Amino acid sequence: MPSLHDAARGRILFGGDYNPEQWPEEVWADDVRLMEEAGVNSVTVGVFSWAMIEPRPGAREFGWLDRLLDLLAAHGIGAVLATPTSSPPPWMGALHPETLPRTEDGALVNYGSRQHFCPSSPVYRRYAAALTEDLAARYADHPALTVWHINNEYCTHCWCDETAGHFRRWLGSRYTTLDALNDAWGTAFWSQRYDTWAEILPPRRAQYMRNPAQELDFKRFTSDALMECYTAERDIVARHTPHIPVTTNFMPLWSGQDAWAWAEQEDIVSVDVYPDPTDPHGGQYNAMLADMTRSQARGPWMVMEQAAGPVNWRDVNHPKPAGLNRLWSLQAVARGADALCYFQWRQSRQGAEKFHSGMLSHAGEEGRTFREVRRIGAELALIGAEVSGTEVTADVAVLHDWDAWWSSTQQGRPSSLVSYTELVQTWHRGLWESGISTEFARPGGDLSAYRMVLVPQLQLLGDAAVDNLVAYVRGGGTLVCGFFTGVVDTDDRIRPGGMDARLRELFGIRTVHEWWPLDAGATVGCDGFDGTLWSEELEPDGSAETVAAYRGGELDGLPAVLRKGTAWYVSTLPGPEALRGLLGRVAADAGVRPVLEGLPPGVEAVRRGALLFLLNHGRSPAAVELPGRYVDLLTGEAADGGVELERYGVAVLGDVRA
Ligand code: GLA
């Protein structure tokens, strides 16, 4: 199978989305000159060029793309060539309105923006396949072609009639019989029983709360329907170029695609990362996305997009202060990225994204943004050979699962203040701040390589996943599990006793009598810390130790944190310091060490292959003591016993062996 390694060939790929169709061709020569200056060796082309290539149904205008790819090849710049199928031309919507998506209210989503296609539309799929076929045939042997990029950020949802039919077929293969579907969806409730398949609809706007199992299946279906679009195009390009790796770019922590399942269908796992420059946890968020994507990729991965400066889709769009782009870029590399690309190369002058930054901003080649980009390009060239293809390892896994995420968003739950993604991020932060290297894993996956496994929250857990967790602990693994876990099965059906019985036995819980969610800002006293967000009325079965009990209030004296051997259950959300302390303590017991001891706050240490990356997320300089003799690959200077990092500074240290 081709991989990122085939495209990177011992380098870090560096570049970005390149949309030269927005510019007169005279500008292209300037583009490649500046790309070469900045060390750009890879650009993503064609993402939004469907209307340029096929200006009317069946037409093919490849001349401009021929000239562009030839130009790139002549300058040794590789092309991540996109199938332009995420933004159909206006003619398609005008001629075939049935290709346009409908909202859950039945409203038509018009063309005039992008991503306006119904994933279930056979007409859309036919045009997309025909164009992909011709694109792949034309450029299969082009020397610039290094990676196929299918579509862009698959995120469309549709509730139209075509989708309804497709959904029914999907349900038919999942359940075979209507009885099985009625049972799984619990349609005895509120007179929802279906008598024929034709009655079943996508969960459209309704009078009151909708059926949560139907919604869960619709989310599964939508992820699968989009994946069919992806695999159809992937199979076409792979037939023409079996040696060229294929990817599609994920949105970060995006609920619409089950990224574990999608990643299995990709040669390269790539993601678009846009931490907010003003977010005090931006560095940790970037680390988390890197850990997540690396885990999905099971190795080196690709930053398909990031921003060199401000984005244009937040309420207030802040630029990146000097040094931050470099810091987060090298952080991604430290955490396994072998490709570091941006949206986009040259900032647009027109269109909805003209205020979104580019590598080459409106300030031009003398602008601060481009100067920083040039520096990053030069540094990647320095470290590329040593870094590319090397691994990042971790003793700890955080479990993450789309089914559990989807079930956690349903209406009518105990607290709408509980956010699955925030819990995942909060628990990951506990480890990140303790300097512990982390991966992500699926609840049903092989956990044997990890000393410690964390479950921030998995409301839905299937039987196989429950058995997997139990077997992991029985095999000596350390499991720390957050509240409201194992509450429902894969049909979203409640498990009696407030939690799966096998898990209750694992943690020493006889019954979860009630969930006691907390109001915003409220806390519940516990031994040694305050809990937030949630609490639980647990009746222990006597086999577990109460590590901390609730103090005061209705739950006074009842266990808040339980431990039975190496299985821990945390029934509230401890504040950040307490969570960090708890995870740090359990990690130490499990033999998990931080990457480097005694780091100043805000400094991150990551080992990748033989290299030690030090990254200062603080706004002031930091001094780091080192346990040996190193050389900083970025400066060539010795770092014996310690190194000074400027604000947002980075050192990439190689061991000096005697
Ligand atoms: C996404 C898209 C890009 C661009 C950026 C802007 O990542 O893939 O085309 O719109 O957002 O941040």
Side-chain angles (χ1 to χ4, degrees), residues 235-448:
D235 290 349
I236 294 170
V237 299
R239 178 159 44 74
H240 286 276
T241 54
H243 57 291
I244 298 286
V246 185
T247 187
T248 183
N249 49 340
F250 291 147
M251 290 200 274
L253 206 54
W254 161 244
S255 74
Q257 290 163 285
D258 177 346
W260 290 119
W262 279 68
E264 286 174 3
Q265 303 294 329
E266 295 183 274
D267 301 322
I268 297 174
V269 181
S270 63
V271 68
D272 302 342
V273 294
Y274 291 101
D276 184 342
T278 60
D279 178 357
H281 301 304
Q284 180 254 326
Y285 176 72
N286 206 40
M288 180 184 72
L289 296 180
D291 292 344
M292 211 172 253
T293 314
R294 187 182 69 249
S295 306
Q296 287 152 6
R298 299 181 193 198
W301 56 283
M302 177 168 192
V303 176
M304 184 63 85
E305 296 178 21
Q306 58 170 344
V311 297
N312 70 325
W313 39 261
R314 295 196 169 97
D315 288 343
V316 179
N317 296 295
H318 296 274
K320 288 182 170 167
L324 190 60
N325 177 18
R326 173 174 178 262
L327 174 71
W328 284 351
S329 295
L330 290 169
Q331 184 190 25
V333 173
R335 290 183 176 264
D338 271 2
L340 196 69
C341 301
Y342 292 82
F343 178 84
Q344 62 178 332
W345 161 250
R346 187 185 277 274
Q347 186 171 18
S348 302
R349 287 186 62 193
Q350 292 179 290
E353 292 185 323
K354 59 183 176 296
F355 296 116
H356 190 294
S357 58
M359 299 166 80
L360 184 61
S361 75
H362 295 150
E365 60 188 282
E366 295 311 323
R368 198 254 297 166
T369 303
F370 189 65
R371 277 189 271 128
E372 194 164 342
V373 162
R374 260 199 314 240
R375 179 176 182 196
I376 297 166
E379 292 183 334
L380 293 181
L382 273 179
I383 64 172
E386 284 243 28
V387 173
S388 171
T390 59
E391 301 287 331
V392 181
T393 56
D395 288 332
V396 181
V398 176
L399 300 191
H400 173 39
D401 178 63
W402 265 259
D403 266 5
W405 182 1
W406 288 329
S407 83
S408 78
T409 59
Q410 65 188 251
Q411 299 165 295
R413 58 190 193 273
S415 168
S416 57
L417 299 182
V418 176
S419 152
Y420 172 84
T421 49
E422 277 175 26
L423 286 173
V424 170
Q425 195 174 342
T426 301
W427 281 59
H428 180 274
R429 187 177 307 141
L431 295 169
W432 186 78
E433 287 176 347
S434 305
I436 292 172
S437 183
T438 308
E439 289 179 4
F440 282 83
R442 310 170 86 153
D446 179 5
L447 304 176
S448 57

Side-chain angles (χ1 to χ4, degrees), residues 446-511:
D446 179 5
L447 304 176
S448 57
Y450 303 111
R451 288 174 185 269
M452 175 162 141
V453 166
L454 305 187
V455 177
Q457 182 188 64
L458 292 169
Q459 172 173 327
L460 180 155
L461 271 178
D463 287 341
V466 169
D467 290 339
N468 195 42
L469 296 187
V470 172
Y472 171 71
V473 173
R474 301 264 180 269
T478 296
L479 178 70
V480 189
C481 182
F483 60 79
F484 207 53
T485 288
V487 173
V488 297
D489 67 13
T490 47
D491 292 336
D492 202 44
R493 184 187 282 108
I494 287 283
R495 294 185 181 276
M499 182 194 284
D500 179 274
R502 289 157 291 185
L503 290 180
R504 277 188 278 124
E505 202 208 322
L506 190 69
F507 299 123
I509 297 167
R510 179 164 294 124
T511 309

Side-chain angles (χ1 to χ4, degrees), residues 526 529 538 545-550 558-563 568-572 574 582:
C526 302
F529 66 92
L538 300 177
E545 172 198 343
T546 297
V547 178
Y550 289 107
L558 294 180
V561 179
L562 277 170
R563 172 194 189 167
W568 296 67
Y569 186 68
V570 186
S571 69
T572 180
L582 176 72

